[in-house]
Amino acid sequence: MDLLKNVFSLGLGAAAATKDQIEKAVDSLVKKGEISKEDSKDLIKNWVEKGEQAQKQLDDSVKAKVNQTLNGLNLATKEEVQDLERRIQILEKQNQNRQS
């Protein structure tokens, strides 16, 4: 699960860096007079939204790949482990009752 946390953190870091980069690029365009200050706000908003959409698609793709890999490892699920723990407790109690 640490892998998922790291991937998620990386995504958040990338999103923040991208927004900063977008704002710097647009500010540069404003300073050069290529776009107005009013238009810059809309441009930043649109680029950030597109970046967030791309980030979501990437996140979904990574999650799907991680899940596919985990499923391929044939690991026990949390529920399966809990079920086995309950069964062991029942068997231990039955064994104790027989020995008493």
Side-chain angles (χ1 to χ4, degrees):
M1 290 302 149
D2 286 337
L3 174 63
L4 290 176
K5 289 179 185 177
N6 289 340
V7 168
F8 181 72
S9 295
L10 179 63
L12 287 178
T18 301
K19 185 173 188 229
D20 287 343
Q21 291 171 345
I22 289 170
E23 289 173 345
K24 286 178 185 176
V26 172
D27 285 344
S28 175
L29 293 175
V30 170
K31 288 178 183 175
K32 292 179 184 177
E34 295 182 21
I35 62 170
S36 69
K37 186 71 174 170
E38 295 79 31
D39 291 340
S40 71
K41 292 176 185 177
D42 289 335
L43 185 59
I44 289 171
K45 181 182 173 193
N46 289 335
W47 282 359
V48 168
E49 286 174 0
K50 287 183 182 191
E52 288 171 350
Q53 290 171 355
Q55 184 65 46
K56 183 181 179 335
Q57 289 175 341
L58 177 62
D59 290 347
D60 291 345
S61 177
V62 168
K63 285 178 189 176
K65 191 62 174 173
V66 168
N67 285 333
Q68 180 184 11
T69 301
L70 289 174
N71 289 335
L73 293 174
N74 200 25
L75 300 174
T77 65
K78 183 177 180 179
E79 291 79 18
E80 290 171 329
V81 171
Q82 289 173 342
D83 183 50
L84 288 172
E85 288 173 343
R86 282 189 294 273
R87 290 174 61 191
I88 289 169
Q89 288 175 353
I90 291 169
L91 290 171
E92 286 175 340
K93 285 180 185 178
Q94 288 174 350
N95 191 33
Q96 285 176 352
N97 290 339
R98 287 186 190 151
Q99 291 177 354
S100 299

